[in-house]
Amino acid sequence: MSDHSTDSRATAIGATTVLNWALLATLTQLAGPVPPFLLTALAFAIAFVCFVVWLGLRGASPIAPLRQPPRVWALGVGGLFGYHALYFVAQQNAPPANAGLISYLWPLLIVIFVALLPGERLKAIHVVGGLLGFAGAGLLVGGDVSAAGSALGYAAACACALLWSGYSVLSRAAKGVPTAAVGGFCLVTAVLAALCHLLFEPARWPQGVAWLGVIGLGLGPVGSAFFTWDVGVKHGDLRLLGLLAYFTPLLSTLVLILAGYARPTPLLALAAGLITLGMLVGSGRLSGARRGSRSTDKA
């Protein structure tokens, strides 16, 4: 198999993560007022169990992929545990659509961080894209930061964007780490979240239909999504995945609206448009399309 075909296949696998993550906000809302660390622990525990079952069906050992150096564990657990704990805090302390869109600034940050790597440079389009994206985030915050607890929610959403973009770019440098190691990251994340729950949160277990939200998170956005994303960022086209991920906030907001957790207000639509436009400009895809059309006209 050629490098090109391998990269294309890995990119396609990574792209399926976008559809998975579009359900994250809605499933979080369905899970109800479960304390954030408990929700993180439950979802990642389900993800780990599914991982072990998958390896068992393949006849593979779940132990071998876990033999990784400390820096790999720090990156994997820091990304998975840190992001989701912050994400659940954001969803429970700010309007879900607002928190979701702000946290989904991470695709734009991926483009910017990649441009700052050795051999790359930050171009004007990256700056313009960043300004457009954060302008959209500013519209979402608006005057709502004075509401009880919302400042915490918005701060957690911004931290989500920074943390996940950094994790994704740094994972590129760990291509040699097998994707199966993500199962170990899920286990440690579940244990850490459970400890934090016991130390800092009151016990409030899911009730009734809320368990469907928890199980859905463990199977999809907090389960299989990490394995497909890991394949994509390590072996696929990271910039293209960033572009495809730009559609996640719009899909996520659409699912929230269809599920009745958000309303299709004009301000929300404008903010979503600005963020998406900023992401497209920052990726250079719009300018590339214009250059391509001009070349076609000359031909």
Side-chain angles (χ1 to χ4, degrees), residues 46-62:
I46 294 171
F48 175 71
V49 170
C50 293
F51 162 74
V52 172
V53 171
W54 175 68
L55 284 183
L57 293 174
R58 299 181 60 196
S61 169

Side-chain angles (χ1 to χ4, degrees), residues 3-250:
D3 291 341
H4 174 72
S5 60
T6 301
D7 289 347
S8 298
R9 180 173 178 272
T11 302
I13 292 173
T16 65
T17 313
V18 174
L19 299 177
N20 222 337
W21 279 337
L23 301 174
L24 180 58
T26 298
L27 289 174
T28 301
Q29 292 301 309
L30 180 62
V34 181
F37 284 118
L38 176 58
L39 185 57
T40 303
L42 292 172
F44 275 98
I46 294 171
F48 175 71
V49 170
C50 293
F51 162 74
V52 172
V53 171
W54 175 68
L55 284 183
L57 293 174
R58 299 181 60 196
S61 169
I63 303 299
L66 306 185
R67 299 190 181 100
Q68 303 298 330
R71 66 178 184 276
V72 172
W73 282 96
L75 174 63
V77 175
L80 270 60
F81 172 70
Y83 175 83
H84 284 84
L86 288 169
Y87 183 84
F88 292 135
V89 169
Q91 282 289 310
Q92 294 182 4
N93 290 275
N98 293 19
L101 283 169
I102 292 174
S103 66
Y104 282 129
L105 284 171
W106 60 262
L108 175 60
L109 294 178
I110 284 180
V111 174
I112 293 176
F113 289 165
V114 169
L116 293 175
L117 290 175
E120 301 285 348
R121 63 190 181 90
L122 187 64
K123 300 179 181 179
I125 57 173
H126 300 142
V127 177
V128 173
L131 292 175
L132 286 171
F134 282 106
L139 284 179
L140 289 173
V141 174
D144 188 59
V145 290
S146 61
S150 63
L152 172 63
Y154 287 123
C158 290
C160 282
L162 289 169
L163 188 61
W164 192 253
S165 57
Y167 165 78
S168 298
V169 173
L170 290 175
S171 292
R172 187 74 171 188
K175 288 184 178 181
V177 178
T179 295
V182 175
F185 303 156
C186 290
L187 174 60
V188 176
T189 296
V191 172
L192 289 176
L195 290 175
C196 289
H197 168 66
L198 293 175
L199 290 173
F200 305 120
E201 295 176 336
R204 186 185 301 157
W205 289 83
Q207 301 294 324
V209 71
W211 277 107
L212 295 178
V214 175
I215 294 172
L217 286 170
L219 293 176
V222 187
S224 60
F226 292 119
F227 296 92
T228 56
W229 185 249
D230 188 78
V231 171
V233 298
K234 286 180 178 176
H235 306 291
D237 186 333
L238 185 53
R239 287 189 182 276
L240 179 57
L241 285 174
L243 174 65
L244 293 173
Y246 297 162
F247 293 98
T248 306
L250 294 182

Side-chain angles (χ1 to χ4, degrees), residues 125 284-299:
I125 57 173
R285 297 286 171 170
L286 293 183
S287 60
R290 286 196 298 269
R291 286 195 298 270
S293 65
R294 284 199 297 268
S295 298
T296 303
D297 291 342
K298 289 179 180 179

